[in-house]
Amino acid sequence: MRILRRFIQAIVALSLWAFTCALVIPPALAKPILAAGDTPPPWLGLNLDGQPINTTQFAGKVLVMTFWASWCGPCKRELPILEGLQLAGKGRIQVVAINTEERDQFRKVAKILSSLTLMMSHDYGHRAAETYGVNGIPHMVMIGRDGKILSVHRGYGEGSLDSIVAEINAALAVGETVPAAATNQLSAEPATAPPLSK
C-alpha cells in the first residue's frame, strides 16, 4: 500500500512539473497561422500602463518579438541578450518582450526589469500568441523594416543565438543607404539585467 501511495505521489509530482514546464496556452489557440513573408496584424498586447502596443509603432525598424514567462529559464537568459542587441542597434531595432503570464505576474516582473529599455508587453487574452502560433516558449518572431515577417524561431536554445544575430544584421542591412561594411554589426553580448526573483 505504501509503495502504491508513493507511486501515485510521484506521478502527481511529475505531472505538475510537466505542466509548469509547458506554456499554459490552450492548444486550440496555438495554431501556426503566420509565417515568413506574411504581414502580421498589429496587436502585441498591453504595456505596464495598460496601453496597447502595436507593430505599426515601429515602422522602419527591425522588430524582434519574443514570447516569454518568468518561470522560463531560457527566456530569462535571453532578455539581457536582446537588450544588448537593441542598444547596439542604436534606434534601428526594437525588441518587444511579450509576457504570457497572468497580468498581476506581468506587472510584478515588469517592475523588476524596469531598467531594461526593451519594451515589455502583456499578451492579454493570448491574442498575440494565437496569431503567431505560440505553443511553447521561448518563441521569437522577427519583422523586417517593411513590416513583413522575416522568420519565426520556436523553442530555440543558446546555440541558435549566433544565427539569430546574423539574421538581425541581415535585416538591418536591407534598405541601408550606407555600405554594409560601414554599418555597426550587432553581436550577442548580454546587457546587465536585474535577476528575476519571485
Side-chain angles (χ1 to χ4, degrees):
M1 196 62 148
R2 179 182 270 179
I3 294 173
L4 180 60
R5 183 178 300 154
R6 286 186 183 250
F7 177 75
I8 291 171
Q9 288 173 340
I11 294 295
V12 169
L14 185 59
S15 298
L16 287 173
W17 177 79
F19 178 75
T20 59
C21 289
L23 178 63
V24 188
I25 293 179
L29 295 179
K31 299 177 206 163
I33 296 172
L34 297 173
D38 291 341
T39 301
W43 174 260
L44 296 179
L46 302 172
N47 68 13
L48 193 56
D49 297 325
Q51 298 300 311
I53 299 174
N54 295 303
T55 58
T56 54
Q57 292 173 241
F58 313 110
K61 294 184 179 184
V62 172
L63 177 59
V64 177
M65 303 175 315
T66 184
F67 290 83
W68 69 287
S70 61
W71 51 261
C72 171
C75 302
K76 290 190 290 188
R77 288 188 298 275
E78 168 193 69
L79 290 178
I81 292 169
L82 292 175
E83 168 80 356
L85 289 174
Q86 180 174 291
L87 293 172
K90 298 179 182 177
R92 301 177 301 151
I93 181 174
Q94 177 65 51
V95 176
V96 178
I98 303 170
N99 185 271
T100 61
E101 298 171 286
E102 295 297 320
R103 182 89 177 141
D104 290 341
Q105 180 65 20
F106 164 69
R107 285 183 177 136
K108 186 166 133 186
V109 173
K111 286 178 183 173
I112 293 169
L113 298 175
S114 63
S115 64
L116 295 177
T117 61
L118 54 83
M119 189 167 286
M120 296 282 181
S121 169
H122 177 252
D123 188 11
Y124 184 78
H126 299 293
R127 286 173 49 193
E130 178 182 356
T131 300
Y132 291 97
V134 177
N135 57 16
I137 53 175
H139 184 107
M140 181 186 291
V141 179
M142 278 189 249
I143 298 178
R145 293 174 180 212
D146 62 356
K148 295 190 184 297
I149 295 175
L150 296 172
S151 62
V152 178
H153 296 274
R154 293 177 176 90
Y156 53 91
E158 289 181 40
S160 303
L161 288 177
D162 288 337
S163 64
I164 290 171
V165 170
E167 285 181 41
I168 293 170
N169 278 318
L172 288 171
V174 173
E176 286 286 317
T177 56
V178 293
T183 62
N184 293 337
Q185 293 289 301
L186 304 181
S187 65
E189 293 298 318
T192 304
L196 284 176
S197 58
K198 293 186 178 186

